Structures are given as C-alpha cells and as structure tokens.
Amino acid sequence: MDSFTFILMMLAIWRITYLFSHEDGPLDVVIKIRMQLGQSFFGNLLDCFYCLSVWVAIPFAVWKANSIENFFLLWFSLSGAVCILQKLIEKNNS
C-alpha cells in the first residue's frame, strides 16, 4: 500500500470517528443514535474519540491487509495516526 492510500484512509477514519463522537449528524441522526444508546457499551464508545477510532479503523484494515500480520499493523497504525491527528487539532484549537 502506498502513502497516499494510507493518508486517504486515515482522513476517512478521522472524519467518520469525528462525526460519530462530536457531531449531531445530518438531520440529527447521530445525536439520536447516541441518545438511544445511552450509557451502554456502544453509547460510551461514541463518547470517546480515541476508543472509537480503534473500531472505525477495523474495516479499513480488513479491506487493505493481505495477511493477518499486516491487518494488525495496519489497524493499529491507522488508529494511532488518527489519534495523533486529533491531538494536533485539539492543541491548535486551545
């Protein structure tokens, strides 16, 4: 996989994670889902950007990995890159 693909996947994961953890979504769909889930496992997961990024990265890693070793490497590196990006964004917004 090339760097461009990795960066595109990272940005897509960031966008999906940010949508589900910080935004109301179109027609308030996401906020309604969060309210319905309440304090359940999935409700709490949607409250934590960093936790959610781990789960959102899974389908991307499955899609691009060609071995089980590459899957784990890609999964955690994508989530880690997204977390670093979020930290940089939070730092710039403070």
Side-chain angles (χ1 to χ4, degrees):
M1 177 176 51
D2 59 30
S3 337
F4 184 69
T5 302
F6 183 87
I7 291 169
L8 285 179
M9 289 173 37
M10 182 186 78
L11 291 172
I13 293 166
W14 180 87
R15 184 66 193 108
I16 293 166
T17 303
Y18 194 84
L19 170 66
F20 281 107
S21 64
H22 286 83
E23 296 177 355
D24 296 344
L27 302 173
D28 293 335
V29 170
V30 176
I31 193 75
K32 289 175 187 173
I33 292 170
R34 274 205 304 273
M35 289 172 60
Q36 281 186 330
L37 293 172
Q39 294 301 311
S40 68
F41 170 79
F42 293 107
N44 289 330
L45 184 63
L46 292 176
D47 289 337
C48 177
F49 179 92
Y50 303 103
C51 304
L52 186 57
S53 75
V54 172
W55 294 96
V56 173
I58 290 174
F60 290 87
V62 167
W63 174 44
K64 280 303 206 180
N66 54 12
S67 70
I68 192 71
E69 295 86 7
N70 284 349
F71 165 75
F72 284 105
L73 182 64
L74 189 55
W75 177 21
F76 293 121
S77 62
L78 282 167
S79 178
V82 168
C83 290
I84 291 169
L85 178 61
Q86 181 62 15
K87 285 284 187 186
L88 291 171
I89 291 168
E90 289 173 350
K91 183 178 180 181
N92 285 339
N93 287 339
S94 330

